[in-house]
Amino acid sequence: MRTLVVDHPLVAHKLTVLRDETTDSPTFRNLADELVTLLAYEATRDVRVEDKDISTPVAPTTGVTLATPRPLVVPILRAGLGMLDGMMRLLPTAEVGFLGMVRNEETLEASTYAERLPDDLSGRQCYVLDPMLATGGTLAAAIRFLTDRGADHITAVCLLAAPEGCARLEEELTGLDVPVTVVTAAMDERLNDKGYIVPGLGDAGDRLYGVVG
C-alpha cells in the first residue's frame, strides 16, 4: 500500500478552514468540494489512458484519452457523497457506483447496508471516496468488497488520515494482489478513545449535511 500526503499551500489553507469549528455547513461543503478536486489531481496520476489520433487546426497529432473500461468512482455513503462532485470535475466521463457502509461505534467494525455497483469489476480502476481514514475498518471493507468483484487497481481519496487507520488498512490488505494508494490532505496525530481523528475536523457527515436523527 502506498500513502501520498499532498503537500500544497492551497490544500493546507482549505483544510485549515474545514477544521475550524466555526465553519458552517454550506462553507464546509464548498471547501470540501474544492479540496477534493486538488486531491483528485494527484490521485489520478495513474489513471489509464490510450493513444488517440486527432487533427488540430494546424496538423495531425497523437494524444491520449481515458482507456476503457472507464474508471469507477465509488463514494462511501453518506459522507463520501460530499466528495463526489469534486472528483467528477476531473473525471467527468467516469462511471459512479455507491457503497453504503456503517461503523459500529462500540466495536468500530464496518458493515455494508447498501450497494449500487456492477457485479463484475474485472479490469476496473476504482476511486474510493471516504473523508476520514480513522480506524481503517470501513475503507478496508470497501476495498475488499471491490476487489472481490474483480477491481484490479484502487485509489482511496481521503480528506484526513490517522496513523492507526493506515496501519490497520495495510494489515487487513496483506496478501491482496492489487495496488492500493491512499491520497490524503494530511496525516493527523492519532485517534482518540472514541475512534475520532485528532485534531481532525469532527464528524465529516454531520459537518457536510448537519446532524440527522
Side-chain angles (χ1 to χ4, degrees), residues 6 16 23 28 35 38 42 58 67 74 93 124 129 144 162 166 186:
V6 178
T16 298
T23 299
F28 192 97
L35 179 55
L38 294 175
E42 296 295 339
V58 178
V74 184
T93 60
R124 300 296 292 268
L129 309 181
R144 283 288 185 183
C166 288

Side-chain angles (χ1 to χ4, degrees), residues 87-156:
M87 189 73 190
M88 296 303 290
R89 190 168 292 116
L90 287 192
L91 282 176
T93 60
E95 295 180 1
V96 179
F98 298 95
L99 190 55
M101 308 197 81
V102 62
R103 186 179 74 166
N104 185 303
E105 295 303 326
E106 294 182 359
T107 65
L108 304 182
E109 297 295 325
S111 59
T112 303
Y113 66 85
E115 60 94 357
R116 186 71 173 178
L117 293 162
D119 291 332
D120 185 5
L121 294 175
S122 298
R124 300 296 292 268
Q125 275 186 301
C126 293
Y127 293 87
V128 183
L129 309 181
D130 191 12
M132 313 295 281
L133 174 47
T135 64
T138 299
L139 189 53
I143 291 171
R144 283 288 185 183
F145 191 99
L146 295 171
T147 56
D148 285 348
R149 292 200 176 183
D152 66 357
H153 190 282
I154 305 286
T155 300

Side-chain angles (χ1 to χ4, degrees), residues 181-203:
T181 300
V182 173
V183 178
T184 183
M187 183 69 67
D188 272 11
E189 297 173 11
R190 58 184 174 84
L191 297 180
N192 65 16
D193 58 2
K194 294 183 179 180
Y196 283 87
I197 297 176
V198 178
L201 49 76
D203 185 293

